[in-house]
Amino acid sequence: MAEAFKKLPEKLQLATSAHVKYIQSLDTRKDEYDYWLTEHLRLNGLYWGLTALHLLGHPDALPRAETIDFVLSCQHENGGFGAAPGHDAHMLSTVSAVQILATIDAFDDLEKRGRGKAQVGKYIANLQNRQTGTFAGDEWGEEDTRFLYGAFNALSLLGLLYLVDVDKAVDHIVACANFDGGYGVSPGAESHAGQIFTCVAALTIAGRRGLVDADRLGRWLSERQIAGGGLNGRPEKKEDVCYSWWVLSSLEMIGKTHWIDRDQLIGFILRCQDTERGGISDRPGDMVDVWHTLFGITGLSLLEYPGLQPVDEVYCMPKSTIERVLGR
Amino acid sequence: MPPKGKAAQKPKGSEASASSASAPTQQQQQQQQQQQQQKQTSSSSTSSPATTTVLERSHQRYDESRGPYEAAAAAVRSQKAGGGLGLSALSREEQIGWISSLLARSASARARANLGSKAQRELWRHVNEASLPVRCIKKTTSPEQQWGTDHAGQDVGRYSVGRFADRSEKRITLTTLEVASRRFLEARDQADKKLRDPLTGEEAVLTDREFQEEKDRRREMASLRKELYGGVSEGQLQFALDPEWDDVEPILQDEPENALAAISYPAEYDEAISYLRAVMLKKEYSPRCLRLTERIIEMNPAHYTVWLYRASNVFALGLSILDEIEWLNGVALKNLKNYQIWHHRHLLVDNYYPTIASSPVLVVKFTDSEREFLTEILAEDTKNYHVWSYRSYLVDKLGSWDSPDELASIERMINDDVRNNSAWSHRFFLVFSNPAHSSCAEKKLGATDFDPKVPATIVDREVQYAMDKVYEAPQNQSPWNYLRGVLAKGGRKLGSIEKFVGEFVSALGEEEKEDVKSTHALDLLAEIWAEKGEREKADLGLRRLAEKWDRIRVGYWEWRRSCLNEGVAAVVAAS
């Protein structure tokens, strides 16, 4: 399969250097209104771009020192990180910060110049509701299984998972399981591929993947593939490149990746590229953005597309990083 | 003859008084009018340009164009405003003059007057002698409002003529800069696209110098705009210049390096955010903060923190939750993909419900109004995940499990679109998580475990419902998943619906005649056959799915076949 792709016309191959340039250019578009409107995603965006670059084999495309400086400038006294300097601390940006620092091997800088790993762990742990096991995004209290997964992700990278009540959290995930094998955002909510990823990954980190009804879920996930080869997130919805990650990594975690047609999916992802200006969009022909660029690349990596670094299906980070940090 | 006396009384030295020494000839008057119409001139016509305001000059021009008698009449009218003498206070000569002016410039007035030929000749003779204008400036209904306001909120009409000229020059400068800026954008676009100059054949390229020029240009544009208009457009809060906000010191963000300088749009946003930071820091909760949050939400509804701060304001000020929900409805309809809106609603309901919990009437009223809005917004975006998950939260919160209206509403949505998986999912939740007849509240059972608390009648009803809907679109996944879920909850074997499922598959394995109206049906049949021990039939079904009817999932079908061959039980553990 790998060789076959090299013979395809240029348009249907991965435009690596275009994507690298695209990601590098993102922070320079400060004159665009969109740049300011998405300020609350800045740190997340950095994680998306950085991870994509690492998977593309260009880990040095973003300057390491400046990246560390920027990340640390987002940190608050309580240990949490905001989305950008001056933004309030939030779970999602904190998780992105930990992921970034892990990827570029900068935990030492966090200790020396930042507030230290323990403080970050404390911030995250404080966001758990000890009655229900769920996690809030910040002190204002919005709860979502994404935050639960984020907490497990970051805490396990920091080696601090014991700070939270894992069992209670696992109980909550189980309560979100649905009749079709999937998971929703809360008990009784519709199964959604994004939520499924967060729930299954969280269970995996907690070492409780056995709680997943793998066969039923695998079947539901395999049904996400539609005629063009792309994947959707729920029955009868349109395909979207980001589901190449949410659905595929879930399948990978339960060992059922072969239940979809991998070549067709690769073809779909490649068609979603903008091979000239770089970047990947949700569907062929649409505007690109860094979010879909990352997930298109992680999807291709999981499908073992040649030339890409392997991605860890649980953490959505380079496998080499996870091996280094968790000593696997 | 233009009256010397009255005209000379016109305040602030009008042009008419200066030249009223002799009756101006038509030519002279036209010249004067031309001069007046041109940009500011410092000719002998105006006595003190520095003190005349633009508005007054407008008035003067208007009056003058109407001829000397109009000015006189106006003066008299204003003097006698309360007294009622008005025009009758003019001398006979002035009266004739005024009437002649009126008739000279208005054809409709002439028509109404119905003058005889003698009268007409006299009129025109008088017009020529006195050089009365036959055209004039139209009266604007509100000349005071036509000039607009400047950055300090002052009426530009009150500017002196000289100051106004400066302002006009600035506006022209701004326009030329905007043109140049637009040119830069085009050049950049061409460079991005690597277009070639049609004449020279060279690729377009954007130089650093051009980039730097644009940076400077934008700085200049922003400062000009700020000078002229205050940097924000009409009808919006101007915090720095709004005396209401004088006591607040905005917390500014550090200007990032290399950023193209403040373009007016982001500057407005940035200013609002700076003020938000300031009031959030001192935890101020007040009507002006509420307005501030509304403003920011308007510009960037995805800004997560501003929503939370708004909620705090609403609660701290004890505002009517229903009013806030009313406002939120409008925002939700304009921002269908935004989820902060729904979390905000969640907070509002959490806060509101305890106040009505003891009154069944109010609870019903609120339930109905919420359902009405949910129906409205789901009509725009039928599968919006945030709306649906809010809906399930609401059912639980308000206890509308048994509400026939809720069930009917979902049925209508499924009728409209049988493929709406969200609606199906909500129905399942409504029926099988109802604490009255399910074990969901106890949280001991798994999602697909048999639930003994569910009455058989309900299981029957739901099975029938799903089957009916399958007929509408046999390849639609939702009712098939639903069926499996219902049978599991009801503790029934898949085989209990074998006859129904069989309707969608015929002549399996027969070359020409094989017909599969639904791959989900064939999938289910294979399971049923495996359940019954009819392994060969099951294998045939799975093989046909892998070979022809659902090739994209060949990996899955082959796995199912391998399970059969290993003697593993069917995928769905039948209870």
Side-chain angles (χ1 to χ4, degrees):
Chain A
M1 189 214 346
E3 293 312 304
F5 282 104
K6 292 210 177 112
K7 293 187 199 132
L8 284 171
E10 213 188 274
K11 237 197 174 356
L12 290 179
Q13 291 189 40
L14 185 61
T16 304
S17 49
H19 297 319
V20 171
K21 285 211 199 77
Y22 168 74
I23 294 170
Q24 285 175 315
S25 79
L26 285 170
D27 205 44
T28 63
R29 295 178 174 194
K30 295 194 173 93
D31 58 320
E32 287 172 13
Y33 189 27
D34 266 4
Y35 182 86
W36 297 108
L37 285 189
T38 53
E39 208 189 34
H40 59 285
L41 293 173
R42 194 70 64 232
L43 199 50
N44 304 115
L46 183 55
Y47 153 69
W48 299 330
L50 183 76
T51 309
L53 288 173
H54 275 247
L55 295 176
L56 287 166
H58 289 256
D60 301 318
L62 286 180
R64 183 172 179 274
E66 277 95 318
T67 303
I68 299 176
D69 288 344
F70 177 76
V71 172
L72 292 178
S73 75
C74 297
Q75 193 172 27
H76 289 250
E77 272 203 45
N78 59 13
F81 290 78
H87 279 233
D88 289 338
H90 190 270
M91 170 75 84
L92 292 178
S93 23
T94 304
V95 173
S96 288
V98 172
Q99 289 177 303
I100 293 170
L101 294 174
T103 306
I104 56 178
D105 199 2
F107 278 160
D108 284 344
D109 295 73
L110 178 60
E111 287 302 319
K112 287 192 214 132
R113 293 158 51 200
R115 305 274 169 189
K117 287 157 56 171
Q119 192 73 347
V120 179
K122 195 160 157 233
Y123 170 77
I124 296 176
N126 279 344
L127 290 170
Q128 183 177 34
N129 177 331
R130 300 282 165 156
Q131 261 91 43
T132 58
T134 55
F135 281 80
D138 60 10
E139 75 260 22
W140 300 80
E142 179 199 354
E143 291 178 353
D144 191 324
T145 43
R146 289 179 302 148
F147 304 145
L148 198 160
Y149 162 69
F152 277 21
N153 181 319
L155 286 173
S156 59
L157 288 176
L158 295 169
L160 299 171
L161 193 57
Y162 61 84
L163 287 180
V164 296
D165 188 343
V166 174
D167 289 334
K168 264 245 155 61
V170 166
D171 286 345
H172 174 80
I173 295 176
V174 169
C176 292
N178 286 326
F179 64 94
D180 50 16
Y183 294 84
V185 70
S186 48
E190 189 186 3
S191 298
H192 183 284
Q195 298 299 332
I196 288 170
F197 165 76
T198 58
C199 290
V200 176
L203 286 175
T204 307
I205 295 176
R208 309 285 293 276
R209 189 164 50 225
L211 291 171
V212 177
D213 187 341
D215 296 340
R216 195 186 294 259
L217 176 60
R219 182 180 172 278
W220 189 93
L221 288 169
S222 75
E223 294 277 352
R224 294 308 106 239
Q225 190 165 33
I226 64 174
L231 306 175
N232 62 22
R234 291 181 272 169
E236 300 295 330
K237 292 220 74 185
K238 282 208 238 169
E239 74 274 20
D240 185 323
V241 139
C242 66
Y243 294 115
S244 313
W245 171 255
W246 309 122
V247 172
L248 204 54
S249 58
S250 304
L251 282 168
E252 184 77 24
M253 284 189 272
I254 57 177
K256 313 282 190 204
T257 328
H258 54 288
W259 284 9
I260 58 154
D261 186 323
R262 289 185 277 200
D263 286 348
Q264 284 210 41
L265 179 56
I266 290 180
F268 171 76
I269 298 174
L270 291 174
R271 284 197 308 278
C272 293
Q273 299 177 95
D274 181 339
T275 48
E276 283 160 28
R277 292 196 255 191
I280 298 177
S281 62
D282 59 353
R283 242 161 255 131
D286 282 353
M287 278 286 297
V288 306
D289 61 59
V290 65
W291 156 278
H292 288 98
T293 304
L294 172 65
F295 294 121
I297 290 170
T298 54
L300 288 173
S301 170
L302 275 179
L303 294 166
E304 295 169 352
Y305 188 86
L308 290 176
Q309 296 298 308
V311 68
D312 184 288
E313 66 275 14
V314 177
Y315 288 87
C316 194
M317 290 161 64
K319 256 202 164 56
S320 53
T321 305
I322 302 304
E323 275 155 28
R324 172 173 39 84
V325 174
L326 296 181
R328 287 212 227 122
Chain B
M1 287 280 135
K4 291 182 209 177
K6 300 291 193 253
Q9 269 169 46
K10 194 90 175 78
K12 297 219 173 61
S14 76
E15 278 145 90
S17 69
S19 50
S20 63
S22 58
T25 61
Q26 186 125 17
Q27 207 179 24
Q28 271 182 336
Q29 256 203 347
Q30 275 176 359
Q31 259 177 6
Q32 272 175 18
Q33 281 174 0
Q34 271 171 13
Q35 278 177 340
Q36 287 160 29
Q37 252 103 56
Q38 276 165 16
K39 240 170 79 158
Q40 168 62 23
T41 56
S42 49
S43 67
S44 55
S45 43
T46 356
S47 46
S48 42
T51 56
T52 312
T53 71
V54 219
L55 186 59
E56 282 159 358
R57 190 177 60 171
S58 276
H59 283 313
Q60 285 169 28
R61 287 176 176 171
Y62 172 79
D63 288 336
E64 269 134 36
S65 75
R66 298 214 157 224
Y69 296 101
E70 183 67 25
V76 170
R77 251 182 262 139
S78 62
Q79 280 168 22
K80 300 285 182 194
L85 280 176
L87 291 168
S88 51
L90 294 174
S91 71
R92 182 163 167 74
E93 203 185 83
E94 286 170 345
Q95 285 176 344
I96 294 176
W98 183 77
I99 294 170
S100 305
S101 295
L102 178 68
L103 292 173
R105 66 171 184 259
S106 169
S108 58
R110 288 199 295 276
R112 275 199 307 268
N114 212 0
L115 302 169
S117 41
K118 180 163 181 268
Q120 282 190 42
R121 264 178 302 178
E122 222 187 271
L123 166 67
W124 292 115
R125 183 181 54 81
H126 190 220
V127 167
N128 280 324
E129 272 174 22
S131 304
L132 300 174
V134 295
R135 278 198 298 270
C136 65
I137 297 176
K138 264 187 133 146
K139 191 175 183 77
T140 44
T141 42
S142 47
E144 288 75 20
Q145 285 164 22
Q146 68 188 0
W147 300 100
T149 49
D150 69 2
H151 69 278
Q154 261 204 318
D155 179 18
V156 172
R158 305 227 178 282
Y159 277 24
S160 74
V161 169
R163 198 173 163 204
F164 184 73
D166 288 344
R167 186 178 170 82
S168 298
E169 276 211 41
K170 287 206 178 91
R171 290 174 73 178
I172 289 176
T173 312
L174 180 60
T175 306
T176 50
L177 289 175
E178 279 172 336
V179 170
S181 181
R182 229 166 290 147
R183 185 69 203 60
F184 165 84
L185 290 175
E186 276 171 51
R188 183 173 68 178
D189 193 48
Q190 284 169 3
D192 279 353
K193 293 183 178 149
K194 296 197 180 53
L195 298 176
R196 291 182 183 281
D197 186 321
L199 294 175
T200 64
E202 285 169 17
E203 252 188 49
V205 118
L206 200 67
T207 64
D208 282 351
R209 198 182 65 126
E210 282 173 319
F211 194 90
Q212 186 58 40
E213 276 174 23
E214 174 68 9
K215 259 173 127 171
D216 297 338
R217 195 179 303 127
R218 290 204 189 180
R219 239 173 255 133
E220 212 188 321
M221 277 162 66
S223 84
L224 273 174
R225 279 205 193 99
K226 230 187 171 67
E227 264 184 73
L228 290 170
Y229 311 117
V232 293
S233 36
E234 271 178 31
Q236 289 164 358
L237 276 181
Q238 305 172 36
F239 302 99
L241 308 146
D242 185 345
E244 197 194 19
W245 287 93
D246 281 346
D247 63 307
V248 178
E249 174 101 29
I251 297 176
L252 300 169
Q253 173 122 333
D254 290 324
E255 269 277 314
E257 279 170 31
N258 289 325
L260 287 185
I263 312 160
S264 63
Y265 224 124
E268 182 189 339
Y269 177 70
D270 196 40
E271 188 192 30
I273 298 293
S274 311
Y275 276 85
L276 180 72
R277 273 186 221 116
V279 294
M280 281 185 73
L281 196 65
K282 54 187 191 110
K283 291 198 175 12
E284 180 185 322
Y285 303 120
S286 65
R288 70 175 179 181
C289 290
L290 196 74
R291 284 198 300 275
L292 175 60
T293 61
E294 184 169 345
R295 188 72 203 92
I296 294 175
I297 286 168
E298 219 177 301
M299 289 190 276
N300 186 11
H303 192 287
Y304 152 87
T305 320
V306 74
W307 280 104
L308 302 169
Y309 183 60
R310 185 181 173 92
S312 303
N313 268 277
V314 169
F315 298 146
L317 297 173
L319 299 178
S320 152
I321 301 288
L322 292 179
D323 284 348
E324 176 71 359
I325 286 183
E326 183 76 35
W327 171 82
L328 191 64
N329 289 351
V331 182
L333 285 167
K334 280 191 251 163
N335 297 283
L336 293 171
K337 290 303 170 198
N338 178 302
Y339 81 95
Q340 280 97 352
I341 290 175
W342 294 94
H343 181 241
H344 187 68
R345 207 183 185 98
H346 200 290
L347 292 176
L348 293 174
V349 173
D350 276 346
N351 185 282
Y352 178 62
Y353 182 70
T355 67
I356 59 167
S358 50
S359 160
V361 170
L362 285 178
V363 171
V364 167
K365 192 156 175 248
F366 183 60
T367 308
D368 287 345
S369 70
E370 281 300 280
R371 182 178 310 114
E372 205 184 304
F373 178 69
L374 288 171
T375 307
E376 188 187 339
I377 197 159
L378 283 172
E380 301 287 322
D381 187 5
T382 57
K383 301 179 187 178
N384 189 313
Y385 195 77
H386 312 304
V387 180
W388 281 107
S389 57
Y390 170 77
R391 191 167 189 159
S392 38
Y393 151 78
L394 202 65
V395 164
D396 187 35
K397 187 89 187 177
L398 303 179
S400 32
W401 299 100
D402 294 310
S403 156
D405 291 330
E406 182 70 9
L407 192 63
S409 173
I410 301 306
E411 281 186 10
R412 262 194 299 275
M413 290 206 72
I414 294 179
N415 287 343
D416 283 343
D417 178 9
V418 72
R419 291 179 175 81
N420 189 335
N421 196 62
S422 309
W424 279 98
S425 183
H426 189 78
R427 187 189 172 101
F428 197 89
F429 170 72
L430 206 56
V431 173
F432 293 102
S433 295
N434 186 338
H437 47 73
S438 79
S439 313
C440 271
E442 289 120 61
K443 290 188 183 169
K444 290 209 191 83
L445 294 176
T448 50
D449 288 341
F450 165 51
D451 187 348
K453 252 184 112 180
V454 181
T457 45
I458 288 193
V459 178
D460 291 335
R461 181 190 78 190
E462 294 304 304
V463 169
Q464 190 57 50
Y465 183 78
M467 292 199 305
D468 289 342
K469 292 302 179 187
V470 164
Y471 288 117
E472 274 183 51
Q475 192 53 24
N476 174 19
Q477 264 173 50
S478 304
W480 289 105
N481 285 344
Y482 195 83
L483 258 177
R484 286 168 176 272
V486 172
L487 292 172
K489 287 275 181 188
R492 304 203 182 161
K493 275 181 146 40
L494 294 173
S496 61
I497 54 169
E498 181 177 356
K499 189 153 169 290
F500 162 75
V501 183
E503 290 174 41
F504 299 93
V505 176
S506 52
L508 190 63
E510 288 168 54
E511 271 292 324
E512 305 288 307
K513 294 200 274 172
E514 189 183 73
D515 185 31
V516 174
K517 288 195 170 48
S518 168
T519 57
H520 309 300
L522 186 49
D523 174 12
L524 193 46
L525 275 177
E527 261 186 82
I528 292 172
W529 292 328
E531 217 176 59
K532 287 162 72 175
E534 293 171 45
R535 218 180 286 170
E536 268 172 41
K537 248 172 124 184
D539 188 73
L540 172 64
L542 295 170
R543 184 165 58 80
R544 291 308 291 150
L545 281 164
E547 287 169 356
K548 178 175 181 187
W549 297 101
D550 195 19
R551 282 209 300 260
I552 206 169
R553 268 164 280 279
V554 61
Y556 175 64
W557 305 122
E558 289 303 323
W559 173 80
R560 287 273 295 278
R561 290 181 76 196
S562 68
C563 290
L564 274 181
N565 296 336
E566 288 166 27
V568 175
V571 175
V572 175
S575 30

